[in-house]
Amino acid sequence: MTEPAIPAPVVLIGAARSGTKYLRDVLNASGALARVPYDVNYIWRFGQKDLPHDHLDPATLTEKQRRFIRRELARLSKRKGTEAILEKTVSNTLRVPFVEAVLPGARYVHLIRDGRDVTESAMRLWQAPPDWRALWTKLRALPLANLGYVAWFAKNFLRGRAKGRQGGSIWGPRFKGAAEMAKTAPLADICATQWAVSVETAHADLANIPSDRVFEIRYEDLVAGTEALEALIDWLGLPDADAVLARHAAELRPPRPAKWCELPDTDRSAITRITAPVLGRLGYCP
């Protein structure tokens, strides 16, 4: 099969629950971008389904894997040949060099959100039942080569149910040691660590990508108005800024009080302890 050409893909990098889905869907209003409609970690892990974490090493990437990933991204995005693919699988925070090996020359948008808010949101998702409708949509489009993902998901779901976690034993990016931590650690500790590892790993890896291909944006700035989004639109060179801004205006909701402050004292203490060093390096106020 002929490999499709992918013009300057746009890869959204951000920890789970940082707003990457929102940003992807807003940018999708541009006719210059063709989005992959949902996270496709199983596509990125093709040939490495038994690896217990999502830190994929580019040294392990085979030509077969590279061609498969590129072909599936093009297929799922329904790219017609002129649009740039827009992709946002959250586990890519842990493997930017691997993504770069698959999509050399890609542009990266790193969306960062306050880790305390992210942790609280992730805690709810770890405990919420799966979105079966969304899962069925994925399943119908699942390549036969990825059927092993179904078995892994079923096992993860059942293990999670046994622990009272409706979202599975592990939800979101699998950082190294996540499986062991998920067995005994409090949920607040796991989710806060997931955010911290995701952000710090992505930040370090993106520093090795030429700066003209990396754009950093804060979630708090994104939802505060249009200035941050306008800067991103300009950086991407999108020809239909008005359509993107109109989608942003339609989707934006009034900011809500920080829900993490309503958590029990033990959870708030753990979240603060784990996220504070990273938040400080990012310039967030305590």
Side-chain angles (χ1 to χ4, degrees), residues 102-161:
V102 174
L103 302 173
R107 291 168 289 175
Y108 298 90
V109 179
H110 190 192
L111 180 61
I112 298 174
R113 184 182 181 188
D114 189 318
R116 295 164 294 190
D117 294 322
V118 169
T119 299
E120 185 279 328
S121 182
M123 289 172 67
R124 282 185 279 122
L125 265 292
W126 277 65
Q127 299 175 94
D131 183 340
W132 296 110
R133 184 175 180 179
L135 286 172
W136 174 241
T137 299
K138 282 189 181 184
L139 184 62
R140 287 187 300 171
L142 195 74
L144 291 177
N146 282 129
L147 285 180
Y149 169 80
V150 178
W152 177 85
F153 176 85
K155 291 179 182 177
N156 183 60
F157 174 69
L158 291 174
R159 289 170 183 162
R161 286 292 297 271

Side-chain angles (χ1 to χ4, degrees), residues 81-102:
T82 56
E83 312 98 326
I85 283 178
L86 175 64
E87 210 281 340
K88 77 104 195 151
T89 299
V90 292
S91 294
N92 284 341
T93 56
L94 303 177
R95 51 177 182 241
V96 168
F98 187 89
V99 175
E100 178 70 9
V102 174

Side-chain angles (χ1 to χ4, degrees), residues 53-83:
H53 55 74
D54 288 324
H55 295 262
L56 304 182
D57 184 347
T60 67
L61 180 68
T62 67
E63 182 60 19
K64 179 180 179 181
Q65 290 168 333
R66 188 185 74 87
R67 291 175 66 87
F68 175 84
I69 297 168
R70 289 170 63 94
R71 183 174 67 246
E72 288 303 311
L73 292 180
R75 179 181 69 86
L76 290 170
S77 70
K78 297 182 172 62
R79 192 179 71 85
K80 299 179 178 66
T82 56
E83 312 98 326

